[in-house]
Amino acid sequence: MKTLTLYERFSRAFHDYPHLSKLVVLFTVSGGGLLAYADASPIGGPQGIVPAEAENKKKRVVVLGTGWAGTSFLKNLENPDYNVQVVSPRNYFAFTPLLPSVTCGTVEARSIVEPIRNIVRKKNMDIRYWEAECFKIDAQNKKIYCRSTNNLNGKKEFIVEYDYLIVAMGARSNTFNIPGVEENCKFLKEVEDAQEIRRGVIDCFEKASLPNLSDEERKKILHFVVVGGGPTGVEFAAELHDFVNEDIVKLYPRVQELVKITLLEAADHILGMFDKRITEFAERKFKRDGIDVRTGSMVVKVSDKEIATKERSGEVSSIPYGMAVWSTGIGTRPVIRDFMQQIGQAKRRALATDEWLRVEGTDSIYALGDCATINQRKVMEDISAIFSKADKDNSGTLTAKEAREVISDICE
């Protein structure tokens, strides 16, 4: 009879006795020890079929959102003991840093998106995706209320129950409740926004090329205003300038001299979150390129023809425009705002979580991405607690032995 190897014996024992759910293997590597621990799940059986009762015992994890945070969570989730359900009105992940390039055709939209079903298909887990929008979170009953983005003959709403909820819905463009922004400005937050801006730019040039317009009317139509001097606004202004001067002028040579790009920023400088040298370089580059950068200009009203701004001096001026792009930061989504009121966080701008991303005031809801902020513990409070625990004799000082013990405890 052929002698069985150690590996074959382990394999046969594991298959013959599926109740052996814990397996510990010890290896010796270069004189040191390497401990490998595995938690096996025998419920699959020889054919890999999961019984219905085992399926029901799986914890239900619901993920809201398919942006950076939600997609990263899905890619890093490896435990097959969860039943994962993804709910989002967007059935793809978008590489948002390249959105400004999509507005001018430098990059095609299909090059920066990946279907979410393609992402979850690669996972060896039970993950399902539903194209719908969550409009209410019921933390008390562990339910979310969803509305399908498709027309289903009145059957558009449904309820999803969860054991753990991952809120990764991101944020929306912040209009600061300025009149006329929603109705007259274009945003740059989604792939559809970038495609709409691209069509809008071409439409402006087509309108300006009509023979029955004066030069003043053409100048107004070809005046592109970007509101917001952050990374997105600055990059879009630069992309638009290159697009006009390298591509558009070949198709519309008669209106080249009438094009104007204006960047409005309420602060004293653009790209205020970056190093001062980067800010100064960007402002000098825009000045050389002919992009009008107006700092200290706060938009107070937007109509279909003009943008009203208030300067530092208090003077209010109007700027006629052909197309306006609004990129002034992010705000809270309505569903998140309602949820924050439920859990007593109504005065905050984003969901407050602890250092483990658990939403404060809940035990089974986690939030990550632009819709959340982490409440870091204060270092001095931690140090004080550690010192009090280590100072067993309440002497106010630590001996070498006490210091070693508390350090060892922290390491564990």
Side-chain angles (χ1 to χ4, degrees):
M1 179 183 293
K2 184 179 178 181
T3 304
L4 294 176
T5 64
L6 179 63
Y7 173 76
E8 290 171 334
R9 291 178 180 176
F10 268 116
S11 300
R12 175 170 295 183
F14 182 80
H15 287 292
D16 291 345
Y17 303 97
H19 62 276
L20 296 176
S21 60
K22 309 290 185 186
L23 177 64
V24 179
V25 185
L26 184 66
F27 297 95
T28 301
V29 181
S30 300
L34 172 64
L35 183 65
Y37 174 81
D39 185 0
S41 300
I43 61 174
Q47 302 299 325
I49 300 174
V50 181
E53 60 272 13
E55 179 73 16
N56 294 334
K57 291 180 181 178
K58 285 187 175 182
K59 294 289 186 180
R60 295 162 299 183
V61 177
V62 175
V63 182
L64 299 180
T66 53
W68 286 92
T71 303
S72 297
F73 173 80
L74 291 173
K75 286 184 175 181
N76 286 279
L77 186 63
E78 301 292 345
N79 195 332
D81 293 335
Y82 294 108
N83 183 354
V84 184
Q85 298 160 352
V86 184
V87 179
S88 174
R90 191 176 70 179
N91 64 355
Y92 57 86
F93 164 75
F95 191 80
T96 50
L98 287 178
L99 280 180
S101 299
V102 176
T103 61
C104 300
T106 308
V107 176
E108 284 295 331
R110 64 177 179 271
S111 300
I112 69 167
V113 300
E114 182 179 6
I116 197 67
R117 293 185 181 277
N118 189 42
I119 294 174
V120 301
R121 182 179 58 86
K122 299 175 182 178
K123 308 289 292 183
N124 187 25
M125 296 176 58
D126 182 16
I127 303 179
R128 301 177 185 178
Y129 166 75
W130 294 321
E131 188 178 70
E133 178 184 8
C134 173
F135 64 89
K136 181 181 177 182
I137 299 174
D138 185 357
Q140 184 175 1
N141 298 310
K142 291 191 173 184
K143 296 179 181 179
I144 62 169
Y145 294 79
C146 304
R147 182 182 297 114
S148 171
T149 56
N150 301 310
N151 187 6
L152 299 174
N153 298 323
K155 297 180 180 179
K156 299 182 67 174
E157 296 185 0
F158 57 93
I159 299 174
V160 180
E161 297 181 348
Y162 66 86
D163 292 305
Y164 298 103
L165 179 64
I166 312 299
V167 182
M169 303 176 69
R172 62 182 180 88
S173 298
N174 196 349
T175 64
F176 300 99
N177 296 321
I178 296 175
V181 174
E182 290 278 359
E183 297 82 5
N184 302 298
C185 292
K186 297 184 183 299
F187 301 96
L188 189 50
K189 197 77 173 63
E190 304 288 346
V191 172
E192 292 82 3
D193 297 335
Q195 294 173 323
E196 184 180 352
I197 290 174
R198 183 175 179 178
R199 290 191 296 267
V201 171
I202 300 300
D203 287 344
C204 287
F205 278 92
E206 290 293 351
K207 291 178 184 177
S209 300
L210 295 175
N212 58 339
L213 299 177
S214 64
D215 284 347
E216 287 298 321
E217 290 174 319
R218 290 191 177 96
K219 285 182 179 180
K220 174 188 171 182
I221 294 173
L222 295 177
H223 186 192
F224 301 95
V225 178
V226 183
V227 183
T232 303
V234 168
E235 188 172 353
F236 169 69
E239 288 278 0
L240 181 61
H241 171 269
D242 294 343
F243 181 49
V244 169
N245 289 274
E246 296 175 9
D247 299 319
I248 289 292
V249 293
K250 300 175 184 178
L251 302 175
Y252 307 92
R254 295 182 180 180
V255 296
Q256 177 183 1
E257 302 300 326
L258 304 177
V259 180
K260 183 179 181 181
I261 301 173
T262 300
L263 179 63
L264 301 178
E265 170 57 44
D268 294 331
H269 297 281
I270 61 175
L271 298 177
M273 66 290 296
F274 293 102
D275 187 271
K276 186 178 180 181
R277 292 170 295 180
I278 297 177
T279 297
E280 292 174 349
F281 172 81
E283 291 178 348
R284 290 196 304 267
K285 180 68 166 62
F286 277 8
K287 187 175 181 180
R288 290 197 304 269
D289 291 341
I291 298 176
D292 184 17
V293 179
R294 297 190 184 185
T295 56
S297 296
M298 183 174 63
V299 176
V300 293
K301 186 179 179 180
V302 180
S303 68
D304 59 341
K305 297 180 180 180
E306 294 180 334
I307 295 178
T309 62
K310 185 177 182 180
E311 310 301 325
R312 293 288 188 190
S313 60
E315 179 185 355
V316 178
S317 59
S318 296
I319 304 173
Y321 71 93
M323 188 178 78
V325 176
W326 190 271
S327 178
T328 60
I330 57 177
T332 310
R333 293 187 181 275
V335 60
I336 298 296
R337 195 184 306 117
D338 294 341
F339 176 54
M340 291 167 66
Q341 291 179 349
Q342 289 183 40
I343 59 177
Q345 296 188 16
K347 296 182 179 180
R348 304 188 63 93
R349 295 184 179 180
L351 281 169
T353 72
D354 58 18
E355 60 267 37
W356 309 110
L357 304 182
R358 184 188 294 109
V359 176
E360 293 184 350
T362 67
D363 59 351
S364 58
I365 301 179
Y366 297 79
L368 53 158
D370 286 340
C371 67
T373 181
I374 302 174
N375 272 348
Q376 296 284 3
R377 293 184 302 182
K378 295 181 179 179
V379 176
M380 291 307 298
E381 292 180 358
D382 286 347
I383 292 176
S384 177
I386 293 171
F387 185 89
S388 299
K389 183 178 180 180
D391 188 17
K392 297 178 180 178
D393 56 359
N394 296 323
S395 64
T397 59
L398 295 184
T399 64
K401 181 181 179 182
E402 290 174 336
R404 285 195 297 268
E405 288 178 352
V406 72
I407 291 174
S408 176
D409 191 32
I410 291 173
C411 289
E412 287 187 16

